[in-house]
């Protein structure tokens, strides 16, 4: 026993002896810099600085090349011995441009973007603080390169390169957020993510299936939440922030608080946010078609259509939300790092505004149409080991458990029957990711993934006059969806100017569905269905840097989307005359994508960035005629009905250009602009060609900035091109409730442009005031495919205190 105690004391003493802290500051002000990244390939090590600009670099001892990076500062390369001679204190100079930065979304490991052939953008905490986005969907939108559709205020469905919904992938702290009921229609799950609790967001454009698996066709949105920081001194590190915000367009009242408590080996982060949004006011200058000057209210057991005092209010659109996050991190020594996270988000019920725009017999069609409380809970455990072995230099085990609850509630005007559908998904995931350097020029990433979704669905009808509740058809069959996959990805530095990257992934997926919960509502000739299939995807690309100021990249990649429960659940769309049955031979949808990019800096004053891409989607799921047990027709509700099924029979094509420019002027002025142009064509159920529903029109953002030590001022314009009636997807052309009318009385999406101004001023070292005015000219406009208008003139004021 005494020997064991002595051994532990010696180990503890050794740990203390080898602990080494570096401090990184801004050269001009000597202020500590947070979230500076430090990377070494030999030994393999990665670290970031805390709020005091400090980081433990014990794992870097002996390193000859430590790359120190921070966005907006000149990259420095030092050896461990050089840092030692500098007293382990580094001063970083500001830089106009960076052609490389540290990203994690490409491989799930921190690496420099100059080795990655895919286009990746980062949304920094500084941008988020200045722009004050209300939701995570709005946070993505401020990039100027992700288009966001909204059917109601409580939502946001990103569109990337002509794809959306279940053909995009969301990841939070490396855990996939997509579930087996992500549908082809617009989804709202991204609002479950708290923008105040995100320390970094990245968007990977194009295929990401080699690393992330199913659904990563158009792109990957990766959110990194607040990391608990340790103290590198004897006293605890206690830091955090508190924020309060008000916006006029929806009378937003928002509060946020987070605190980090860091000890030597333990650290904790607690975050809480609360939002309250009133009905959203749209602008006064724009199409009259967007105005719905009434709402429905239940009075004395009767539905009354009430004329609004302010016709610009969009009623019902009010909702509230709160988010809670708790993280615990433990680092017993240099090699082990354990982090547990708990996330919870819950919204109030919120009206689906586009459905309230529907009319029947000259009046409102619905008395109620809303989504119920949307709930998301995630627990995740990340265990990382950085002790070099024969099979890895670093390994991370990610375990995740998520619970999703969503519902939809509707009742027609003057009807007593209120229909409610509730869906619950329990999602389990395990990822084991390895990183290994085969040589100084060759690094391999490989790993395994297991995902299981358990879906339960129920329906009911309540008679609001008697309060009687009866069971009704559910939206989905009770189902399980699972996937097992293995992948390998390799990066080779051919020379100091050229690097290549290639990867492969094989995934086996299985879906089991039980339709017995709806046997009383749909006389289908089956009660179960199952799909089991596999898919192989890969990518190859390269980055060429002929000069420090020029980067050329090219990438060819494939991606896939496995059929999910939402696909197989479409049997409930059956009607007399046509009945949809499950197809056990469904395969994954496949996408083939080619990217070509160039980035060039001219004289440390101008940076140009241009990316072109072309994507072909094959095996797309469409409904076509089918046979069941050799029969092309069966009896359904007493009528002989044509048998149909989803089949891998359609194709889609998308191509486009993403362009950006940055110009730095003297005196703290700068200019940036991002513009995106994409064209898509897809095949419909009847075999005809149609413009792609999710290919956004021309859109972008242009900004003029002025920055001093205390002030950050930005004037910017956001804009969208017109979508004519003939350029709308065929499925969109009849949606009177969301589009304006052209001179011929046909639906179309008008072009629009808003002028906006934002400012951030540091009143004191720990106190910042942010203010802004969006939509200065009070335009009434709707982003393409949206069912609710964007805010009219909107005043924003927030106060943030850091400690």
């Amino acid at each position: 026993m005494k020997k064991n105690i002595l051994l532990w004391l010696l180990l503890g003493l050794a740990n203390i002896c080898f602990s080494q802290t570096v401090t990184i500051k801004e050269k001009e002000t000597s202020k500590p810099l947070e979230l500076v990244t430090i990377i070494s390939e030999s030994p393999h090590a990665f670290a970031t600085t805390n709020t005091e600009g400090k980081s433990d670099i014990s794992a870097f001892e002996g390193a000859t090349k430590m790359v120190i990076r921070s966005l907006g500062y000149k990259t420095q390369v030092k050896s461990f011995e050089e840092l030692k001679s500098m007293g382990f204190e580094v001063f970083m100079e500001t830089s106009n441009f960076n052609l490389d930065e540290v990203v994690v979304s490409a491989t799930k490991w921190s690496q420099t973007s100059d080795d990655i052939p895919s286009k990746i953008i980062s949304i920094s905490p500084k941008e988020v603080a200045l722009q004050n986005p209300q939701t995570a969907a709005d946070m993505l939108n401020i990039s100027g390169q992700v288009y966001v559709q909204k059917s109601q205020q409580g939502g946001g469905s990103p569109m990337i390169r002509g794809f959306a919904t279940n053909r995009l992938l969301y990841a939070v702290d490396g855990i996939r957020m997509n579930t087996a009921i992500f549908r082809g229609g617009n989804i709202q799950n991204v609002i479950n993510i708290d923008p105040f609790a995100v320390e970094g967001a990245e968007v990977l454009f194009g295929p990401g299936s080699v690393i992330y698996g199913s659904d990563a066709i158009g792109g990957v949105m990766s959110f990194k939440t607040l990391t608990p920081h340790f103290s590198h001194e004897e006293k605890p590190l206690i830091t955090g922030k508190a924020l309060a915000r008000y916006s006029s367009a929806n009378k937003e009242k928002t509060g946020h608080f987070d605190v980090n408590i860091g000890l030597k080996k333990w650290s904790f982060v607690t975050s809480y946010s609360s939002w309250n949004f009133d009905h959203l006011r749209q602008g006064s200058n724009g199409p009259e078609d967007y105005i719905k000057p009434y709402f429905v209210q239940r009075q004395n057991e009767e539905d009354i259509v009430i004329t609004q005092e302010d016709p610009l209010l969009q009623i019902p659109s009010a909702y509230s939300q709160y988010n809670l996050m708790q993280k615990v991190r433990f680092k017993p020594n240099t090699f082990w790092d354990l982090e547990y996270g708990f996330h919870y988000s819950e919204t109030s019920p919120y009206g689906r505004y586009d459905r309230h725009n529907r009319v029947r017999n000259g009046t409102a069609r619905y008395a109620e149409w809303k989504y119920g409380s949307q709930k998301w809970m995630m627990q995740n455990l990340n265990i990382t080991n950085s002790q070099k072995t024969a099979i890895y230099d670093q390994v991370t085990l990610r375990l995740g458990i998520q619970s999703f609850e969503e519902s939809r509630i509707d009742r027609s005007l003057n009807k007593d029957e209120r229909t409610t559908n509730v869906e619950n998904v329990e999602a389990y995931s395990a990822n084991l990711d390895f990183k290994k350097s085969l040589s100084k020029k060759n690094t391999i990433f490989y790993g395994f993934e297991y995902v299981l979704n358990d879906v339960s669905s129920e329906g009911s009808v309540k008679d609001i006059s008697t309060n009687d509740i009866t069971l009704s058809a559910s939206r989905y069959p009770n189902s399980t969806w699972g996937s097992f996959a293995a992948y390998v990805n390799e990066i080779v530095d051919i020379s100091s100017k050229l690097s290549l990257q290639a990867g492969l992934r094989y995934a086996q997926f299985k879906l089991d569905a039980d339709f017995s919960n709806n046997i009383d509502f749909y006389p289908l000739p089956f009660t179960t269905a199952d799909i089991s299939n596999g898919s192989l995807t890969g990518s190859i690309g390269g980055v060429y840097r002929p000069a420090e100021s020029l980067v050329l990249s090219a990438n060819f990649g494939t991606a896939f989307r496995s059929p999910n429960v939402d696909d197989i659940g479409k049997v409930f769309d059956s009607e007399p005359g046509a009945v949809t049955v499950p197809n056990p031979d469904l395969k994954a949808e496949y996408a083939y994508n080619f990217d070509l990019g160039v980035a060039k800096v001219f004289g440390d004053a101008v940076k140009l960035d241009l990316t072109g891409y072309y994507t072909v989607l094959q095996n797309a799921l469409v409904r076509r005629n089918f046979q069941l047990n050799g029969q092309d027709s069966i009896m359904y509700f007493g009528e002989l009905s044509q048998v149909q099924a989803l089949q891998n029979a359609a194709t889609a094509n998308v191509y486009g250009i993403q362009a950006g420019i940055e110009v730095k002027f003297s005196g703290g002025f700068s200019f940036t602009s991002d513009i995106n142009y994409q064209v898509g064509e897809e095949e419909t159920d009847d075999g005809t060609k149609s413009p792609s529903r999710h290919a956004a029109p021309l859109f972008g953002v242009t900004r003029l900035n002025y920055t001093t030590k205390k002030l950050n001022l930005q004037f910017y314009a956001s804009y969208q091109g017109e979508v004519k009636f003939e350029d709308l997807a065929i499925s969109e052309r009849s949606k009177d409730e969301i589009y304006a009318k052209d001179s011929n009385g046909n639906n179309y999406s008008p072009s629009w442009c808003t002028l906006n101004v934002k400012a951030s001023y540091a009143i004191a070292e720990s106190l910042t005031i942010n203010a802004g005015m969006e939509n200065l000219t009070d335009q009434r406009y709707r982003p393409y495919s949206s069912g609710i208008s964007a805010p009219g003139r909107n005043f924003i004021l927030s106060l943030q205190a850091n400690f």
Side-chain angles (χ1 to χ4, degrees):
M1 181 67 181
K2 290 182 178 180
K3 290 181 179 179
N4 288 338
I5 293 174
L6 181 61
L7 177 61
W8 281 108
L9 287 172
L10 289 172
L11 287 173
L13 181 61
N15 187 57
I16 293 172
C17 291
F18 289 117
S19 178
Q20 180 57 62
T21 300
V22 67
T23 302
I24 301 179
K25 301 178 180 179
E26 186 180 63
K27 185 175 182 180
E28 290 83 354
T29 64
S30 295
K31 290 183 177 179
L33 293 177
E34 185 183 6
L35 297 177
V36 178
T37 59
I38 309 167
I39 296 179
S40 167
E41 291 298 325
S42 180
H44 267 290
F46 172 81
T48 60
T49 57
N50 62 18
T51 54
E52 296 180 331
K54 296 180 179 181
S55 181
D56 183 358
I57 57 169
S58 308
F60 293 81
E61 188 170 12
T64 58
K65 183 181 178 181
M66 299 169 61
V67 183
I68 305 171
R69 281 187 175 90
S70 183
L71 195 63
Y73 295 88
K74 293 181 180 178
T75 299
Q76 296 192 33
V77 179
K78 303 289 183 182
S79 68
F80 191 87
E81 289 301 315
E82 284 179 296
L83 290 182
K84 186 176 181 179
S85 66
M86 297 164 61
F88 293 103
E89 191 172 42
V90 177
F91 291 89
M92 301 191 73
E93 296 182 58
T94 56
S95 172
N96 281 346
F97 302 109
N98 293 88
L99 283 177
D100 62 331
E101 57 182 311
V102 175
V103 295
V104 298
S105 57
T107 61
K108 293 187 180 179
W109 296 99
S110 296
Q111 63 182 122
T112 58
S113 59
D114 59 3
D115 285 332
I116 301 168
S118 299
K119 178 178 175 65
I120 297 176
I121 63 167
S122 298
I123 303 172
S124 71
K126 278 187 176 181
E127 289 179 272
V128 174
L130 176 65
Q131 293 297 329
N132 264 315
Q134 293 185 341
T135 68
D138 298 330
M139 179 174 67
L140 291 168
N141 197 41
I142 66 176
S143 69
Q145 299 182 61
V146 176
Y147 199 86
V148 176
Q149 179 275 350
K150 291 187 178 184
S151 297
Q152 63 280 324
Q153 185 173 202
S157 188
M159 298 181 183
I160 299 176
R161 290 190 173 185
F163 297 98
T165 61
N166 57 17
R167 289 172 180 159
L168 300 176
L169 188 126
Y170 304 79
V172 179
D173 292 338
I175 304 292
R176 64 178 287 133
M177 197 179 190
N178 293 43
T179 71
I181 63 170
F182 268 36
R183 55 189 180 271
N186 299 308
I187 58 175
Q188 323 303 329
N189 301 73
V190 72
I191 68 168
N192 287 127
I193 300 168
D194 182 358
F196 293 115
V198 172
E199 69 180 24
E202 297 175 11
V203 181
L204 183 150
F205 294 90
S209 284
V210 168
I211 301 299
Y212 292 94
S214 178
D215 305 356
I217 290 178
V220 175
M221 291 158 283
S222 176
F223 301 89
K224 173 64 176 172
T225 60
L226 296 173
T227 300
H229 289 294
F230 299 105
S231 173
H232 300 295
E233 300 176 350
E234 293 303 318
K235 63 180 182 180
L237 172 69
I238 301 177
T239 59
K241 65 177 180 288
L243 178 143
R245 183 175 66 207
Y246 175 81
S247 300
S248 64
N250 53 8
K251 298 181 181 178
E252 175 202 12
K253 293 177 282 291
T254 289
H256 168 78
F257 174 82
D258 67 68
V259 61
N260 181 104
I261 301 176
L263 308 176
K264 285 279 189 176
K265 295 184 179 182
W266 290 88
S267 56
F268 310 86
V269 165
T270 302
S271 172
Y272 178 80
S273 301
S274 175
W275 298 263
N276 188 284
F277 305 107
D278 205 338
H279 303 297
L280 180 63
R281 181 192 178 278
Q282 59 186 325
S284 58
N285 303 305
E288 295 292 322
D289 306 290
Y290 294 158
I291 294 179
K292 177 180 71 68
Y294 61 85
F295 64 94
V296 179
Q297 191 175 82
R298 188 75 172 172
Q299 296 179 3
N300 300 320
E301 299 186 357
E302 184 180 358
D303 294 328
I304 305 297
V305 178
I306 297 176
T307 301
Q308 296 175 193
E309 292 183 9
D310 183 354
L312 299 181
L313 283 180
Q314 299 176 96
I315 303 174
S317 60
Y319 82 104
S320 60
Q321 178 176 338
Y322 73 91
N323 277 54
L324 172 67
M325 184 187 77
Q326 178 64 58
K327 282 191 172 184
V328 180
R329 187 179 176 195
F330 176 54
K331 194 170 184 179
N333 54 44
T334 302
F335 302 115
W336 288 97
D337 195 338
L338 294 82
E339 182 176 297
Y340 166 80
F342 173 84
H343 305 256
Y344 185 79
S345 172
E346 182 173 342
T347 72
S348 67
Y350 49 91
R352 180 164 170 176
Y353 187 74
D354 61 339
R355 295 299 172 90
H356 283 273
N357 282 339
R358 292 186 176 181
V359 296
R360 177 186 285 172
N361 299 324
T363 188
R365 177 175 178 178
Y366 293 105
E368 300 177 54
W369 212 119
K370 60 186 176 182
Y371 289 111
S373 178
Q374 182 171 292
K375 302 174 184 178
W376 171 64
M377 185 274 290
M378 181 175 82
Q379 297 183 78
N380 65 303
L381 177 64
N382 290 1
I383 303 174
T384 300
N385 179 261
S386 303
Q387 193 165 16
K388 191 173 181 178
T389 69
I391 62 171
Y392 66 82
D393 296 333
Q394 290 177 289
V395 59
T396 292
L397 173 65
R398 293 181 177 89
L399 303 175
I401 301 175
Q402 298 179 80
S403 295
F404 299 83
E405 180 181 313
E406 54 189 64
S407 57
R408 49 183 63 201
I409 302 149
D410 68 86
R411 184 175 62 83
S412 295
L413 187 72
N414 293 320
K415 299 295 183 181
D416 291 334
E417 295 77 25
R418 177 191 290 142
T419 301
T420 300
N421 289 97
V422 180
E423 280 71 54
N424 288 277
V425 181
E426 299 297 319
Y428 310 90
S429 62
N431 293 79
L432 190 60
D433 299 301
F434 299 87
K435 179 181 180 182
K436 177 66 179 178
S437 282
L438 304 180
S439 67
K440 288 186 176 181
K441 295 185 176 183
N442 190 356
T443 302
I444 190 172
F445 307 88
Y446 65 99
F448 307 92
E449 179 186 67
Y450 177 72
V451 176
L452 177 66
N453 282 194
D454 188 356
V455 178
S456 61
S457 181
E458 60 184 36
S460 64
V461 175
K462 180 178 181 178
D463 187 321
I464 62 172
S465 65
T466 64
N467 289 326
D468 292 336
I469 299 176
T470 58
L471 294 179
S472 66
S474 67
R475 184 171 169 81
Y476 299 115
N478 292 327
S479 313
T480 58
W481 181 94
S483 171
F484 178 78
Y487 76 92
V488 60
N489 196 46
E490 186 174 12
I491 296 178
V492 180
D493 292 326
I494 304 298
S495 67
S496 60
K497 296 183 178 181
L498 177 63
S499 62
L500 300 177
Q501 178 174 304
L504 285 172
R505 181 188 187 99
Y506 180 77
Q508 185 72 29
F509 58 88
K510 183 172 176 58
L511 192 162
D512 292 300
D514 181 359
F515 293 87
S516 59
N517 59 333
N518 281 292
I519 197 168
D520 294 332
F521 310 105
Y522 299 97
L524 300 170
F526 51 82
T527 56
T528 61
D530 64 90
I531 299 174
S532 181
N533 225 314
S535 56
L536 179 68
T537 53
S539 66
I540 185 169
V543 180
Y544 180 53
R545 300 168 294 277
E548 287 188 6
S549 61
L550 178 63
V551 176
L552 305 173
S553 61
N555 187 60
F556 174 76
T558 62
F560 73 98
R561 185 184 77 85
S562 304
N564 66 13
V565 176
D566 182 73
D567 297 314
I568 204 169
K570 285 185 169 60
V571 298
F572 301 141
D573 292 341
S574 303
E575 58 186 6
V579 56
T580 303
V581 301
N583 180 359
D585 297 320
L586 281 181
K587 298 179 175 61
E589 297 179 330
Y590 270 93
Y592 302 85
N593 177 83
F594 179 71
D595 279 75
L596 188 63
V598 58
K600 170 68 176 175
V601 172
F602 299 89
D604 204 33
V606 179
K607 176 185 175 182
L608 292 177
D609 192 339
L610 182 66
T611 302
Y613 60 89
Y614 191 94
T615 306
V616 177
L617 180 69
Q618 294 185 342
N619 287 345
L621 300 183
V622 289
R623 197 182 338 243
R624 297 283 167 82
N625 290 342
F626 194 65
Q627 287 190 343
L628 181 67
N629 299 326
Q631 295 181 321
D632 60 8
S633 298
I634 61 174
M635 295 301 295
Y636 183 71
F637 277 114
E639 183 177 330
L640 188 64
S641 301
Q642 171 69 53
V643 175
Q644 295 184 329
L646 285 181
Q647 300 175 51
N648 298 104
T651 61
N653 303 278
V654 182
Y655 62 89
I657 293 175
Q658 296 171 282
I661 184 172
E662 295 181 52
V663 182
K664 301 291 185 180
F665 303 104
S666 60
F669 287 94
S670 63
F671 170 86
T672 66
S673 187
D674 288 287
I675 193 165
N676 308 266
Y677 174 75
Q678 48 273 310
V679 176
E681 184 183 68
E682 60 190 8
E683 194 173 344
T684 63
D685 286 349
D686 62 7
T688 59
K689 298 290 186 179
S690 167
S692 174
R693 175 187 176 189
H694 291 134
L698 175 79
F699 73 97
V701 61
T702 299
R703 296 185 169 103
L704 178 64
N705 303 277
Y706 174 69
T707 305
T708 66
K709 288 183 179 180
K710 289 189 173 184
L711 175 67
N712 189 355
L713 181 64
Q714 184 178 104
F715 178 79
Y716 66 98
S718 297
Y719 39 86
Q720 172 207 289
E722 177 184 325
V723 184
K724 297 178 181 179
F725 173 76
E726 56 268 25
D727 294 328
L728 286 173
I730 292 175
S731 61
E732 295 289 289
R733 294 176 185 174
S734 62
K735 295 181 178 179
D736 297 334
E737 67 269 23
I738 68 175
Y739 290 109
K741 300 290 185 182
D742 63 18
S743 58
N744 297 316
N746 294 320
N747 291 326
Y748 84 117
S749 179
S751 61
W752 52 263
C753 177
T754 65
L755 303 178
N756 317 267
V757 62
K758 298 286 177 65
S760 176
Y761 183 76
I763 300 173
E765 187 173 342
S766 59
L767 189 63
T768 303
I769 186 170
N770 291 275
M773 188 188 299
E774 297 175 335
N775 196 357
L776 292 170
T777 56
D778 204 27
Q779 295 298 302
R780 184 188 310 130
Y781 70 99
R782 282 186 185 173
Y784 163 73
S785 193
S786 293
I788 189 169
S789 298
R793 187 181 294 115
N794 186 28
F795 298 92
I796 304 168
L797 182 66
S798 71
L799 189 66
Q800 178 174 318
N802 298 312
F803 58 91

